[in-house]
Amino acid sequence: MEVKIRKFKKILEETVIPEIMPYEERVPLLKPLVEYAHNIIPQKLFRYRECSEIQFDAFNKNLIYAVNAQKFNDPYDCLIRYDKQYIYDSISKGASKEKIKQLRDSLKKGESFPDFIASLYGEELTKIMKETIINATDEELDNNNLIFGMSKEEFFERIDKYIFREAESFSRKSTFIACFSENVKSITMWSHYANSHKGFVLEYNLKGQEIKCDNCSNKFTCKDRIVHNLYPIIYDNKRYDGTFFVSCFLGRHMGLFSKLDDVLFNNKSALYKSLQWSYEKEWRLFLDKPNSYGLPYLTAEIPPVAIYYGKDISPINKKILHDIAKEKKLKEYQMYIDVQSEKYAMKFKAI
């Protein structure tokens, strides 16, 4: 599978969909990525669950909840990196010393701050910049340490507070993910995601899996249509570079007509994780729908094919899950530890 993931990574990085590109032109560019990902989907994928009323209800209704990365246990999850110096240099090119001196002199004469600059930075930052520019000396401007009257250090501090954090938050809040694993025998995942072996795991066959919206006659016009894609995680020591997204986000915040260089930035940033997580062998189901930003979750209706009970699941929780599984005619398995085995791996048996 590692060789297949490397090939998937290559295809992913080569697939770039500009926001300005019409929908009909996007489809052929996306086709190689989607088809290759589909071809390498394992026959079995597993979803670790804790025992709770919400999870019991989701199991009963065949619902898969996709949440945003702010709820994940990895602080780097979907967290884009970006080159601040590149962004600073891009903006500073449009802030020449001569223009700032002219602006300073006009402000000293009592003239108003230009509307276009005020719209770029907002009321609070505009007030700060106005005071800084009025008090700036020719020497400070000649040393090129100011951007619209703001030192580089102060620029980063202010932009960090007002823009970059919003960009990070937007990226993480606008991506809805449901996580799966190729491995049902992981001691660590049973501990982390199934309440220390007191929970359960659901098995899915997601190869060619469709959801309700796929077969709807109004799927191309419906405002509530949910789009889904399933991709493997790329484990790498190098984080995804989201500089161009942050530049675009900054431009939009400034009121500029900025378009994304790649609409896949959300998926790409969510598919890179540290090698330290590679034991999870994770796949991610992405759900998306119009105007979903800020929602707590999205759901897809996909039935499981089997259930695995944790080694230390309580009798009452097992009884609740068994009754649902029996009604659905699912295969049932019990996890256990083979005391004679020399390997650190959970085992399971049919029940």
Side-chain angles (χ1 to χ4, degrees):
M1 181 60 79
E2 289 184 10
V3 174
K4 294 178 181 178
I5 299 297
R6 285 198 296 270
K7 184 175 180 180
F8 170 78
K9 177 185 177 183
K10 184 175 183 295
I11 297 173
L12 178 68
E13 292 177 346
E14 291 174 348
T15 305
V16 178
I17 312 293
E19 189 176 7
I20 61 173
M21 180 177 287
Y23 178 79
E24 59 272 13
E25 295 180 21
R26 298 182 184 187
V27 175
L29 291 180
L30 280 169
K31 188 176 180 180
L33 176 69
V34 174
E35 287 188 349
Y36 185 77
H38 176 267
N39 289 337
I40 65 171
I41 296 174
Q43 194 69 32
K44 297 180 179 181
L45 284 174
F46 304 95
R47 190 154 160 82
Y48 288 80
R49 303 284 83 191
E50 294 185 354
C51 288
S52 68
E53 289 188 16
I54 293 176
Q55 298 302 334
F56 294 159
D57 182 67
F59 175 38
N60 187 46
K61 296 177 180 177
N62 294 330
L63 290 180
I64 290 179
Y65 283 82
V67 299
N68 58 59
Q70 290 186 320
K71 295 188 172 82
F72 292 168
N73 60 351
D74 179 3
Y76 281 96
D77 219 315
C78 300
L79 189 67
I80 52 178
R81 68 180 177 92
Y82 43 85
D83 187 340
K84 292 183 181 180
Q85 186 63 49
Y86 172 87
I87 295 172
Y88 178 87
D89 291 342
S90 298
I91 295 176
S92 64
K93 289 178 181 178
S96 68
K97 291 176 286 187
E98 291 73 19
K99 288 182 179 179
I100 296 177
K101 287 180 181 180
Q102 292 174 7
L103 176 59
R104 178 197 59 188
D105 295 340
S106 65
L107 290 174
K108 286 185 175 181
K109 292 177 182 178
E111 296 181 17
S112 300
F113 209 70
D115 290 339
F116 85 94
I117 295 180
S119 67
L120 295 183
Y121 285 86
E123 183 178 349
E124 186 170 351
L125 277 177
T126 298
K127 182 179 179 181
I128 295 171
M129 286 190 294
K130 183 177 180 179
E131 294 176 356
T132 306
I133 291 173
I134 289 178
N135 296 320
T137 65
D138 287 347
E139 182 180 2
E140 288 175 323
L141 297 179
D142 290 336
N143 288 334
N144 200 27
N145 290 327
L146 296 171
I147 178 168
F148 280 125
M150 188 180 297
S151 69
K152 183 183 293 187
E153 292 73 20
E154 188 175 0
F155 170 81
F156 285 145
E157 180 183 347
R158 298 292 176 179
I159 292 299
D160 270 349
K161 182 177 180 181
Y162 295 104
I163 304 297
F164 289 157
R165 290 181 187 175
E166 289 186 24
E168 291 173 352
S169 177
F170 177 86
S171 176
R172 303 185 89 190
K173 285 184 178 180
S174 57
T175 307
F176 295 88
I177 300 167
C179 304
F180 298 82
S181 173
E182 299 176 24
N183 185 10
V184 73
K185 298 180 179 180
S186 170
I187 300 172
T188 307
M189 285 192 287
W190 273 102
S191 298
H192 285 176
Y193 306 121
N195 191 23
S196 299
H197 301 258
K198 299 181 182 71
F200 61 103
V201 165
L202 295 176
E203 177 188 326
Y204 293 86
N205 180 1
L206 298 179
K207 206 173 184 68
Q209 178 66 53
E210 294 183 337
I211 62 174
K212 183 171 61 177
C213 291
D214 292 337
N215 299 314
C216 177
S217 59
N218 298 320
K219 65 181 180 181
F220 293 115
T221 57
C222 179
K223 294 181 180 179
D224 294 322
R225 180 197 179 193
I226 292 181
V227 180
H228 64 100
N229 287 294
L230 181 67
Y231 298 127
I233 284 292
I234 299 166
Y235 297 103
D236 201 321
N237 282 326
K238 187 177 181 180
R239 295 170 60 201
Y240 173 71
D241 187 351
T243 299
F244 289 109
F245 161 68
V246 176
S247 296
C248 176
F249 190 91
L250 179 59
R252 289 181 177 181
H253 188 87
M254 291 177 169
L256 302 176
F257 187 70
S258 301
K259 290 293 184 180
L260 288 170
D261 293 320
D262 187 5
V263 297
L264 296 178
F265 85 90
N266 264 349
N267 285 6
K268 290 180 177 179
S269 65
L271 287 174
Y272 284 81
K273 293 187 69 173
S274 166
L275 282 167
Q276 296 178 59
W277 296 94
S278 60
Y279 69 89
E280 292 189 347
K281 299 181 179 180
E282 184 181 352
W283 283 70
R284 290 191 162 181
L285 177 67
F286 293 87
L287 300 183
D288 189 22
K289 65 178 286 189
N291 303 315
S292 58
Y293 178 76
L295 294 178
Y297 57 82
L298 295 177
T299 61
E301 189 173 333
I302 302 176
V305 296
I307 185 170
Y308 298 74
Y309 302 110
K311 181 183 76 71
D312 296 324
I313 192 170
S314 70
I316 183 63
N317 285 335
K318 186 174 181 178
K319 175 68 166 57
I320 293 171
L321 293 168
H322 167 71
D323 289 345
I324 299 173
K326 185 177 180 180
E327 184 177 346
K328 295 179 180 294
K329 299 180 180 179
L330 300 185
K331 296 179 180 178
E332 299 179 73
Y333 301 92
Q334 177 64 55
M335 303 301 300
Y336 71 97
I337 293 176
D338 182 357
V339 296
Q340 299 185 84
S341 174
E342 62 181 13
K343 296 181 179 179
Y344 290 100
M346 304 299 298
K347 291 191 174 183
F348 59 84
K349 57 185 176 183
I351 58 174

